[in-house]
């Protein structure tokens, strides 16, 4: 392990908005004038591959910006742009401490009419060129496919004298949009993360942590070791034995000496095997909240008053053996979940670096302002040579909703820098239709490179550049949501289903107005209209999640309702729009496609309004159409349907006489409640309950079908009716009343045929509910 250079903000940091040029600065260079240039790009003979890439990139983008042709290494006596730390570049920038640049420190310096863009090896020069193109020339790479490259046939740049070494030597943010996009990641100065696609040597390669992630579980697998060495694995007091655990996430017994020796042997082998790539190896515990409960493990945990104490003893033991083989190697382990809290006595050895996983934090503010995690980090920092961080910026349960945490990164990253953090991984939502994914990636990557930058200025720069005239409204939207999430007592964390706890109805109305204004501002700008459309999807999802409650609330208060009139059509529209942008995932480990059936069954497919509801306000009754039914499900109170394949118990069929043209159809011969509607949170309340059905039978029937209400957990049977059928009196659908009931969440309204083979079919068009107290029953 080489020593870590600190942050050297030696000279003027140009900042982000520095493209304005002082009008009569004597030192300024004219790189192009009216589409012609006197400059040539010069790369030293000894340049390494990424430095040659840097020269090519510089040529490409300068030519796009100016329209001029920039020769690389052509002959001539004109002024030069020196790319890379050649002897000539070093001569021109003699005051730079080249040795302090490390692997990726950058130099941007004017010398007379020449310009030096160079840096440490392997990536410094490439990064210097990208910094120059962004900060001084004004190129913007918003994501892998969208960029703004200015047109400046006359390009003047001010005197430059900037040396910069980034504080974090591993930088990775997990976004969908830079996944397998090595060129974009190079521009973002992201230098690690083989999991999301390697960065080729030409773009500077990647920094690698061997066995990154829960490394110990990959080295000492249950499959390979449990049979011969059960004592290396977790002891469970409850079960009174050693437990093999999940194959992917085995939990070990860290006080076991033989396990430590074997792990050291494996670690040394892996370090040798990967010697050309890295000398940092992960020996983290499993992704599991459980731990070994053998007597020595428990005694040590008590003494250290943390699981991490047991772990540090274990890792230190390995590190001591490793040091004898490779004094420069570093072991890292996750201080995560059960081991987040630092130990009381033991200290990580010199060659051991904890990687603190800040899962327990408030996403709406800096880690500095959340005292529990702040104290852990400060303590870890105090007892360690340096720290790695695994940070979270994601709602794992739902990528599709707003997650207002953009402002928090700036100070969080500054805090990390102060705490000797040298490696940053930010786990972000891995999707393309969530909460400002491109902005999130743009902001995080810029701040990881330099946490001293002004995060707000980066957000504004992105908003103005990417969304144009919509930017002011979207900035207000971001501010509104962040304020909402920072209310007293509210916690924005890694796991939320819904936005109920922080996003209040008045906020939602206000946010919706801002989106309307944003859309209006770019309605004649096709590109930005589409960008705004994508960015609005999380807000659309808020409406789809909370439509009923918000509709009722607006009605009860006599306020305007700002949500979509028809939530079923709005859901279809949402899915179409999301798919048109390439929606890929909806939550951790779940593809977007998987949420579609659930989304399509939340609201009724529009149909004729029942006669009883015609005079009612739409907020006073609820339609439950066949698209919302569960069909042929497992369980229920009767199981005598063996003679019908499950798929035939109930099916949705076209039915012109049904209110929406479709109905659920069941053969009359079984008595399985093959249709039910489960009452969700938004449907709880006191309701008059109706079922609309018909049967296909030539003769009158004493029992047409059976319908009822049932609550498995709380109540049991609530209601049941058995209507008769008289074909002489009634043709087609009839409405049947199940009474007025308090419907709790989880109640089910069900229908079953009467187990009568002479009934061809029982068809259910819909159920509907009328709010108790509503007029017109
Ligand atoms: Zn143990």
């Amino acid at each position: 392990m080489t020593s870590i250079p600190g942050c050297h903000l030696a000279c003027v940091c140009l900042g982000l908005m520095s493209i304005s040029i002082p009008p009569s600065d004597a030192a300024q260079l004219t790189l192009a004038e009216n589409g012609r240039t006197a400059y040539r790009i010069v790369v030293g003979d000894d340049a390494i591959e990424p430095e040659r890439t840097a020269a090519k990139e510089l040529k490409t983008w300068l030519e796009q910006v100016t329209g001029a042709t920039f020769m690389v290494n052509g002959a001539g006596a004109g002024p030069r742009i020196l790319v890379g730390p050649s002897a000539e570049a070093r001569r021109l920038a003699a005051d730079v401490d080249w040795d302090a640049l490390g692997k990726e420190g950058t130099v941007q310096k004017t010398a007379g009419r020449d310009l030096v863009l160079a840096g440490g090896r392997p990536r410094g020069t490439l990064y210097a060129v990208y910094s120059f193109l962004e900060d001084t020339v004004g190129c913007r790479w918003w994501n892998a496919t969208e960029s703004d490259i200015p047109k400046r046939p006359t390009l003047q740049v001010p005197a430059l004298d900037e040396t910069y070494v980034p504080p974090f030597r591993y930088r990775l943010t997990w976004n969908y949009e830079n996944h397998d996009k090595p060129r974009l990641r190079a521009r973002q100065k992201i230098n690690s993360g083989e999991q999301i696609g390697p960065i080729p040597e030409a773009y500077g390669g990647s920094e690698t942590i061997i066995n990154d992630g829960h490394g110990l579980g990959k080295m000492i697998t249950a499959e390979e070791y449990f049979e011969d060495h059960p004592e290396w694995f977790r002891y469970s007091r409850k079960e009174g034995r050693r437990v093999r655990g999940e194959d992917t996430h085995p939990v070990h017994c860290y006080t076991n000496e033989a396990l430590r020796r074997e792990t050291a042997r494996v670690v040394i082998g892996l370090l040798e095997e990967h010697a050309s790539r890295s000398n940092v190896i992960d020996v983290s515990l499993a992704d599991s909240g459980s731990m070994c409960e053998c007597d020595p493990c428990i005694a040590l945990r008590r003494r250290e008053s943390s699981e991490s104490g047991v772990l540090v003893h274990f890792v230190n033991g390995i590190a001591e053996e490793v040091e004898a083989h490779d004094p420069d190697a570093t072991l890292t382990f996750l201080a995560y979940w059960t081991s987040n809290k630092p130990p009381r006595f033991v200290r990580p050895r010199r060659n051991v670096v904890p990687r603190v996983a800040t899962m327990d934090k408030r996403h709406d503010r800096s880690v500095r302002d959340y005292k529990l995690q702040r104290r852990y980090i400060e303590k870890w920092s105090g007892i360690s040579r340096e720290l790695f961080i695994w940070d979270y910026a994601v709602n794992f349960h739902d990528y599709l909703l707003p997650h207002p945490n953009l402002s928090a990164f700036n100070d969080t990253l500054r805090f990390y820098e102060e705490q000797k953090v040298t490696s940053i991984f930010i786990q972000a939502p891995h999707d393309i239709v969530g909460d400002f994914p491109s902005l999130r990636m743009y902001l995080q990557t810029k701040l990881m490179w330099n946490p001293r930058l002004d995060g707000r200025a980066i957000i504004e720069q992105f908003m103005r550049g990417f969304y144009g005239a919509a930017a002011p409204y979207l900035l207000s939207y971001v501010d509104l949501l962040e304020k909402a999430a920072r209310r007293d007592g509210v916690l924005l964390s890694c796991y939320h289903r819904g936005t109920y706890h922080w996003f209040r109805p008045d906020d939602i109305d206000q946010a919706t107005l801002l989106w309307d204004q944003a859309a209006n501002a770019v309605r004649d700008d096709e590109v930005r209209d589409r960008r705004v459309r994508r960015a609005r999807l999380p807000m659309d999802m808020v409406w789809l999640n909370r439509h009923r409650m918000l509709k009722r609330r607006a009605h009860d208060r006599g306020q305007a309702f700002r949500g979509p009139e028809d939530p079923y059509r709005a859901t279809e529209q949402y899915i179409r729009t999301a798919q048109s942008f390439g929606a890929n995932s909806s939550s951790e480990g779940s593809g977007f496609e998987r949420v579609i059936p659930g989304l399509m069954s939340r609201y009724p497919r529009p149909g004729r309004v029942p006669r009883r509801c015609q005079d009612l306000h739409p907020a006073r009754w609820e339609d439950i159409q066949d698209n919302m039914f569960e069909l042929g499900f497992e369980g229920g109170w009767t199981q005598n349907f063996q003679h019908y394949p499950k798929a035939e118990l109930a099916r949705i069929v076209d039915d012109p006489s049904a209110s929406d043209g479709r109905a659920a159809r069941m053969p009359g011969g079984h008595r399985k409640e093959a249709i039910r509607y489960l009452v969700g949170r938004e449907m709880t309340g006191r309701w008059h309950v109706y079922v609309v059905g018909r049967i296909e039978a030539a003769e009158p029937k004493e029992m047409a079908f059976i319908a009822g209400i049932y609550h498995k957990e709380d109540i049991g049977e609530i209601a049941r009716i058995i209507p008769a059928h008289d074909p002489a009196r009634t043709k087609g659908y009839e409405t049947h009343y199940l009474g007025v009931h308090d419907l709790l969440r989880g109640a089910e309204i069900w229908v079953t045929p009467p187990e009568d083979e002479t009934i061809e079919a029982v068809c259910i068009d819909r159920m509907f509910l009328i709010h108790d107290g509503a007029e017109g029953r």
Side-chain angles (χ1 to χ4, degrees):
M1 173 91 25
T2 50
S3 68
I4 314 307
C7 171
H8 302 281
L9 275 168
C11 309
V12 190
C13 179
L14 282 168
L16 275 150
M17 313 303 283
S18 60
I19 56 168
S20 60
I21 313 292
S24 60
D25 185 343
Q28 78 184 14
L29 310 181
T30 302
L31 292 189
E33 195 160 9
N34 299 321
R36 303 178 70 85
T37 183
Y39 278 80
R40 61 198 168 95
I41 296 169
V42 177
V43 194
D45 291 339
D46 63 340
I48 59 172
E49 216 187 334
E51 290 162 1
R52 295 184 186 281
T53 305
K56 271 186 243 162
E57 286 279 88
L58 185 66
K59 173 181 165 67
T60 301
W61 298 108
L62 283 183
E63 290 183 351
Q64 281 208 26
V65 170
T66 62
T69 302
F70 284 81
M71 303 299 289
V72 177
N73 284 358
R80 301 163 297 175
I81 306 175
L82 294 135
V83 174
S86 59
E88 180 63 0
R90 286 165 183 258
R91 191 185 64 79
L92 291 176
D95 57 334
V96 170
D97 181 357
W98 292 85
D99 292 336
L101 295 175
K103 290 179 173 181
E104 40 191 25
T106 60
V107 176
Q108 300 177 60
K109 190 173 171 64
T110 42
R113 287 184 71 202
D114 293 331
L115 170 63
V116 175
L117 299 174
R121 285 182 166 169
R123 290 178 291 274
T125 297
L126 189 60
Y127 290 170
V129 163
Y130 288 137
S131 291
F132 173 74
L133 288 169
E134 286 197 280
D135 300 342
T136 304
V137 179
C139 296
R140 303 280 176 259
W141 293 288
W142 306 123
N143 55 40
T145 55
E146 294 171 296
S147 57
D148 278 344
I149 306 302
K151 292 285 175 221
R152 296 169 69 185
T154 295
L155 178 63
Q156 293 184 309
V157 302
L160 293 173
D161 188 2
E162 186 194 331
T163 304
Y164 180 72
V165 179
F168 307 131
R169 68 198 155 95
Y170 291 81
R171 299 174 303 276
L172 173 62
T173 171
W174 198 341
N175 304 94
Y176 180 74
E177 294 183 28
N178 62 9
H179 203 125
D180 277 329
K181 301 285 188 300
R183 218 156 47 150
L184 175 65
R185 293 214 327 265
R187 283 176 198 147
Q188 293 171 331
K189 307 184 182 88
I190 290 301
N191 68 356
S192 66
E194 291 199 331
Q195 314 90 310
I196 61 168
I199 300 173
E201 288 304 318
Y203 283 86
S206 311
E207 295 294 317
T208 304
I209 296 176
I210 302 163
N211 260 350
D212 197 4
H214 304 274
L216 185 61
K218 296 179 207 165
M219 289 187 276
I220 309 292
T221 62
E223 192 183 5
E224 189 179 347
Y225 290 98
F226 187 80
E227 205 175 307
D228 294 339
H229 302 285
E231 73 282 4
W232 293 3
F233 292 79
R234 181 172 84 92
Y235 177 78
S236 161
R237 289 201 162 179
K238 196 170 147 202
E239 296 181 48
R241 63 184 179 91
R242 298 281 166 175
V243 181
R244 185 188 157 109
E246 287 177 62
D247 279 343
T248 44
H249 295 293
V251 180
H252 299 91
C253 176
Y254 303 119
T255 53
N256 187 292
E257 271 296 298
L259 168 68
R260 184 186 57 67
R261 282 197 303 274
E262 174 63 5
T263 308
R265 189 188 69 78
V266 176
V267 165
I268 289 164
L270 284 168
L271 282 166
E272 282 170 7
E273 186 187 332
H274 296 280
S276 63
R277 297 168 59 223
S278 177
N279 62 358
V280 183
I281 186 163
D282 180 302
V283 287
S284 293
L285 76 176
D287 190 2
S288 162
S290 52
M291 44 196 132
C292 182
E293 295 168 334
C294 76
D295 289 343
C297 280
I298 287 201
L300 188 53
R301 184 179 318 126
R302 286 209 177 118
R303 191 157 70 84
E304 293 286 0
S305 95
S306 167
E307 175 72 4
S308 68
V310 187
L311 205 60
V312 174
H313 279 285
F314 175 71
V315 178
N316 278 352
I318 300 166
E320 197 175 340
E321 282 194 46
V322 168
E323 193 177 53
H325 284 78
D326 183 350
D328 291 332
T330 296
L331 277 68
T332 178
F333 68 94
L334 279 169
Y336 164 69
W337 203 341
T338 52
S339 57
N340 189 195
K341 187 185 170 203
R344 222 169 129 201
F345 300 113
V346 68
R347 303 284 176 260
R349 280 174 55 88
R350 184 200 60 82
N351 57 342
V352 172
V353 178
R355 188 185 212 178
V356 183
T358 61
M359 181 119 91
D360 183 6
K361 70 164 192 173
R362 307 184 62 113
H363 289 212
D364 49 288
R365 62 194 70 186
S366 169
V367 168
R368 193 197 302 274
D369 300 328
Y370 181 54
K371 69 181 150 190
L372 187 121
Q373 195 58 250
R374 185 192 74 218
R375 286 168 63 181
Y376 286 178
I377 292 170
E378 284 170 347
K379 173 103 194 272
W380 278 115
S381 176
I383 63 174
S384 308
R385 179 191 82 188
E386 60 188 285
L387 282 190
F388 293 176
I389 288 281
W390 185 309
D391 195 51
Y392 299 83
V394 52
N395 173 9
F396 286 116
H397 279 335
D398 201 332
Y399 292 169
L400 307 177
L401 289 171
H403 195 62
N405 61 351
L406 290 173
S407 297
F409 299 124
N410 209 167
D411 189 62
T412 293
L413 289 167
R414 288 181 190 179
F415 175 69
Y416 291 156
E417 185 192 351
E418 291 162 23
Q419 298 301 320
K420 302 192 296 198
V421 170
T422 57
S423 165
I424 288 280
F425 167 50
I426 299 180
Q427 196 163 5
H430 204 250
D431 73 346
I432 203 157
V433 296
D435 194 22
F436 293 112
S438 298
L439 166 59
R440 199 166 280 275
M441 174 176 69
Y442 190 82
L443 175 70
Q444 286 166 346
T445 53
K446 291 225 173 308
L447 289 177
M448 278 196 283
W449 171 251
N450 184 354
R452 303 287 157 150
L453 294 177
D454 177 353
R456 178 69 187 190
I458 299 172
I459 293 173
E460 289 179 6
Q461 180 189 76
F462 185 95
M463 289 291 202
R464 295 211 174 93
F466 198 68
Y467 297 111
Y473 309 107
L474 301 189
L475 284 164
S476 298
Y477 167 81
V478 165
D479 293 342
L480 172 74
L481 268 65
E482 296 208 343
K483 205 170 141 211
R486 278 196 204 124
R487 286 192 178 104
D488 287 347
V490 169
L491 176 75
L492 198 70
S493 82
C494 287
Y495 295 100
H496 297 299
R497 300 188 199 281
T499 52
Y500 296 88
H501 65 299
W502 63 268
F503 206 6
R504 295 183 183 169
D506 290 341
D507 303 331
I508 293 174
D509 279 348
Q510 217 180 320
T512 303
L513 282 176
L514 289 167
W515 279 109
D516 290 344
Q517 288 170 298
N520 194 40
V522 294
R523 67 180 189 280
D524 299 325
D525 179 341
E526 199 181 325
V527 170
R528 290 193 165 114
D529 176 67
R530 195 165 154 73
R531 289 174 182 173
V532 168
R533 193 68 205 88
R534 165 157 83 113
R536 190 174 182 155
L537 284 164
M539 190 67 217
D540 293 344
M541 184 50 81
V542 170
W543 277 110
L544 295 180
N545 279 347
R546 299 171 64 178
H547 190 271
R548 286 194 181 87
M549 279 185 178
L550 293 169
K551 184 178 70 177
R552 276 181 222 143
R553 182 179 187 275
H555 175 254
D556 291 346
R557 295 173 176 229
Q559 291 172 346
F561 176 63
R562 304 199 184 282
E565 274 310 308
D566 180 342
Y568 181 85
R569 298 286 178 230
T571 305
E572 286 184 320
Q573 181 65 46
Y574 172 88
I575 293 168
R576 266 200 308 274
T577 309
Q579 286 177 328
S580 79
F581 288 108
N584 56 304
S585 52
S586 56
S587 62
E588 196 185 25
S590 173
F592 183 78
E593 306 299 319
R594 271 177 60 186
V595 296
I596 294 176
L599 291 176
M600 290 313 302
S601 63
R602 286 204 289 197
Y603 296 102
R605 189 187 302 112
R608 278 192 308 277
V609 176
R611 188 179 47 76
R612 284 176 176 75
C613 304
Q614 275 164 3
D615 298 330
L616 297 181
H617 186 277
R620 306 301 283 164
W621 71 281
E622 291 289 348
D623 201 1
I624 300 166
Q625 280 289 357
D626 43 84
N627 66 299
M628 299 163 72
F629 297 166
E630 254 187 285
L631 303 178
F633 48 90
E634 296 295 339
W637 55 265
T638 171
Q639 298 293 331
N640 63 337
F641 56 96
Q642 288 83 349
H643 56 295
Y644 283 92
K646 194 176 149 200
E648 284 179 25
L649 292 170
R651 283 180 300 132
I652 301 297
V653 298
D654 287 336
D655 181 350
S657 65
S659 58
D660 66 336
R662 306 185 79 182
R665 188 174 200 273
M666 296 177 281
H670 73 73
R671 220 188 120 192
K672 157 77 178 161
E673 74 280 36
I675 293 174
R676 74 171 167 187
Y677 173 72
L678 270 173
V679 173
R681 180 216 315 257
E682 295 206 335
M683 295 288 253
T684 58
R686 189 164 174 79
W687 299 98
H688 298 277
V689 181
Y690 299 84
V691 171
V692 180
R694 68 176 176 87
I695 66 167
E696 293 173 8
E699 302 298 317
K701 291 289 172 190
E702 187 77 337
M703 295 195 291
F705 58 83
I706 310 163
I709 308 172
Y710 178 72
H711 196 295
K712 193 165 135 196
E713 266 116 51
D714 288 355
I715 303 168
E717 292 283 354
I718 295 169
R720 186 179 294 199
I721 58 166
I722 308 176
H725 169 70
D726 180 359
R729 213 165 50 84
T730 325
K731 299 234 174 345
Y733 281 104
E734 277 189 281
T735 299
H736 303 279
Y737 182 50
L738 272 83
V740 58
H741 303 281
D742 289 309
L743 297 184
L744 305 180
R745 189 177 185 179
E748 46 190 281
I749 307 169
W750 55 265
V751 182
T752 141
E755 203 172 16
D756 179 346
E757 297 289 352
T758 66
I759 294 177
E760 185 68 21
V762 175
C763 295
I764 303 299
D765 171 16
R766 64 172 15 149
M767 303 164 181
F768 64 91
L769 310 175
I770 296 178
H771 207 269
D772 187 28
E775 294 301 308
R777 200 181 85 68

